[in-house]
Amino acid sequence: MAFPSDLSDVAVFKIHPAIGCARLANNDDFYEFFDFEEKRNANQPREYKSVRGGKHWIKRQAVRFRLFAYKTDGTELGELTQSVMTALGIGVTWTASVANRKLNTWNSATPVVEAQASASGNETKRLEGANPWRATKVWLGDITGTGVFIPPKGGVYRKTSTTVIPPYGAHRLDNGVLDTTSDGPISAALTGVGAIPVVPACVIVTPQDHSPDVDPGDFNVGTNLDFVKETRALLGIPQGAVLGGSGYAMDLAMMRTINGEYSPGMEICLETSIDPATINLALPDPRVAFFPRGQQHIHANEIRPAYGLGRARLGALTGGLCSTWQTDLTACLDYWTSTYPEFVEYDAAPTSRYLSRKQFATSGPLEKNAEWLNENMGMMDSARDLNDNIDVLFGTERDGGDNAGADPVGPFPLDPT
């Protein structure tokens, strides 16, 4: 006998993806990344946006974490599915522990906003941290009993009702504005498996992917670098390393959507220094943010963040970014529109197409202040310009050809409560 009939040859369980990227949106609706990718690859009906006022708005991107069994030699045995768990009498409780430490990074007097929740069965539990300015809660996401992490809405928590999101260059100290990004471990407590360990994963809560069918590695130049390539270089992993199995394939599928430019990038900051005069106190040595490879069931070529015991602290992977992503995005738009061409080259038809980022270039992206970006984030997909008219954009990357138009009818509520 062997897995999945029994656990006699199982040495360890691992949670995949090793890094789950949950993306914000000012939208009640969400989709799950891997479910969406399966439908997209199979050319099945899919929906990346929801309709409000006749316009299509970007949904939040959730991530389903899954458990896989491995032998002592590291060979993947298969997924620990619900049917297998039922047959073997195994129970699971999923726990998410995250933090936003951006303001604390720049001003230690401002507390880290931490949250944790656990769920099993049909439960969905909310992660809520303490508001640094008043006796209310900061929503940092939800975890379900099936391992799905759902990010909160976008927007910001303000020190006062009149506090505005600061412009780029005035964002580092406690500026009275807290965004809803975070990062931390995803773990699973199993009953009925004896002493078999479970290796945790990591979730990062980040801004939405505004160009969903253009991965960072498609333009491996400037500020749009391949995360896998850059992280392998950071950790001394051979660039041609290949890990077999469905779990590691999930890792790569997710990491390909992450920007590998570490100064700072919109998802993860692995720079030791933000600028020559400032050290990233959130993560002084980015190499320690990962499990030691070749030890404790971690493959020598595996990229997997680790928290605690001298590794990363909660919120450390996003802690060195701008204190609000809305501020950072003004600078990132400047990079995008000045550094990259206004079209993407593809082998398949259409061989090239223009993207909506040139809409920002027409008036200069830095003229779009952070409050404007915060309000309109749900309409900012870099859609295909099939009519050579930046006011008529077709968001065909993921949801089959809807016409998003030029301007939103009106924003979703910006209060993330």
Side-chain angles (χ1 to χ4, degrees):
M1 299 291 286
F3 186 86
S5 298
D6 62 37
L7 304 179
S8 59
D9 56 345
V10 177
V12 65
F13 294 106
K14 291 185 182 182
I15 300 173
H16 293 281
I19 304 175
C21 190
R23 296 185 182 273
L24 304 165
N26 294 336
N27 197 329
D28 293 329
D29 298 328
F30 65 88
Y31 65 94
E32 196 280 316
F33 175 83
F34 290 101
D35 173 69
F36 193 94
E37 290 300 296
E38 288 179 7
K39 292 177 179 177
R40 182 162 75 100
N41 292 334
N43 292 317
Q44 296 176 359
R46 56 198 184 275
E47 188 178 347
Y48 167 62
K49 303 176 184 177
S50 56
V51 179
R52 179 176 182 268
K55 302 292 185 179
H56 292 256
W57 292 75
I58 295 174
K59 294 180 179 181
R60 291 177 286 157
Q61 177 177 292
V63 180
R64 184 189 174 200
F65 292 90
R66 293 154 60 182
L67 286 155
F68 287 81
Y70 291 84
K71 297 172 65 174
T72 302
D73 65 3
T75 302
E76 181 187 296
L77 293 169
E79 183 180 356
L80 185 63
T81 63
Q82 184 58 56
S83 61
V84 172
M85 286 192 285
T86 299
L88 299 180
I90 298 172
V92 59
T93 298
W94 290 90
T95 297
S97 305
V98 300
N100 182 323
R101 65 170 59 245
K102 290 182 177 180
L103 295 180
N104 175 265
T105 297
W106 305 112
N107 183 351
S108 60
T110 306
V112 177
V113 180
E114 299 186 47
Q116 177 177 292
S118 300
S120 59
N122 295 322
E123 294 178 328
T124 297
K125 295 294 183 68
R126 176 174 280 208
L127 287 82
E128 293 183 316
N131 190 312
W133 302 297
R134 62 182 69 89
T136 57
K137 297 296 185 180
V138 172
W139 177 25
L140 292 180
D142 297 90
I143 185 70
T144 77
T146 56
V148 178
F149 183 92
I150 307 166
K153 287 185 181 180
V156 294
Y157 289 84
R158 304 168 192 269
K159 191 170 186 176
T160 70
S161 60
T162 59
T163 302
V164 298
I165 302 173
Y168 189 81
H171 58 279
R172 288 184 169 171
L173 297 180
D174 183 345
N175 50 48
V177 180
L178 180 77
D179 68 17
T180 55
T181 63
S182 65
D183 66 87
I186 298 290
S187 59
L190 298 176
T191 58
V193 301
I196 299 176
V198 180
V199 178
C202 157
V203 67
I204 55 171
V205 181
T206 75
Q208 186 52 257
D209 186 349
H210 300 294
S211 191
D213 73 342
V214 182
D215 289 330
D218 292 345
F219 290 125
N220 196 32
V221 295
T223 57
N224 197 38
L225 302 182
D226 185 312
F227 179 85
V228 177
K229 180 179 179 180
E230 295 301 303
T231 304
R232 283 174 173 169
L234 174 71
L235 299 177
I237 297 173
Q239 291 298 336
V242 177
L243 297 177
S246 299
Y248 293 130
M250 291 177 64
D251 294 351
L252 286 174
M254 179 60 77
M255 286 190 290
R256 288 192 183 104
T257 72
I258 298 173
N259 197 316
E261 170 55 58
Y262 297 151
S263 58
M266 288 298 290
E267 292 97 356
I268 295 177
C269 182
L270 294 178
E271 283 284 6
T272 57
S273 178
I274 299 299
D275 60 42
T278 307
I279 298 298
N280 178 5
L281 299 179
L283 194 61
D285 182 357
R287 292 169 296 181
V288 304
F290 298 86
F291 275 103
R293 298 174 314 287
Q295 303 177 30
Q296 300 176 330
H297 302 289
I298 302 300
H299 193 281
N301 297 330
E302 186 172 355
I303 299 171
R304 182 176 291 267
Y307 293 87
L309 299 177
R311 316 314 296 182
R313 297 176 293 174
L314 295 183
L317 297 185
T318 55
L321 302 174
C322 290
S323 56
T324 63
W325 65 262
Q326 294 89 340
T327 292
D328 198 28
L329 187 55
T330 58
C332 289
L333 283 173
D334 186 41
Y335 280 125
W336 274 100
T337 55
S338 63
T339 304
Y340 304 122
E342 294 177 344
F343 58 91
V344 181
E345 298 286 355
Y346 276 89
D347 293 331
T351 55
S352 66
R353 65 187 189 276
Y354 286 90
L355 301 178
S356 63
R357 62 177 62 98
K358 65 180 179 177
Q359 180 176 1
F360 298 104
T362 55
S363 61
L366 294 181
E367 295 179 21
K368 305 294 188 183
N369 64 50
E371 291 288 355
W372 185 93
L373 295 169
N374 184 56
E375 179 177 313
N376 292 284
M377 65 178 291
M379 294 294 292
M380 289 175 57
D381 62 322
S382 293
R384 305 184 190 193
D385 176 5
L386 300 182
N387 290 6
D388 196 24
N389 180 349
I390 63 173
D391 293 327
V392 183
L393 302 173
F394 293 82
T396 57
E397 284 93 345
R398 291 190 175 182
D399 65 345
D402 61 275
N403 185 352
D407 297 306
V409 174
F412 278 93
L414 299 184
D415 184 352
T417 58

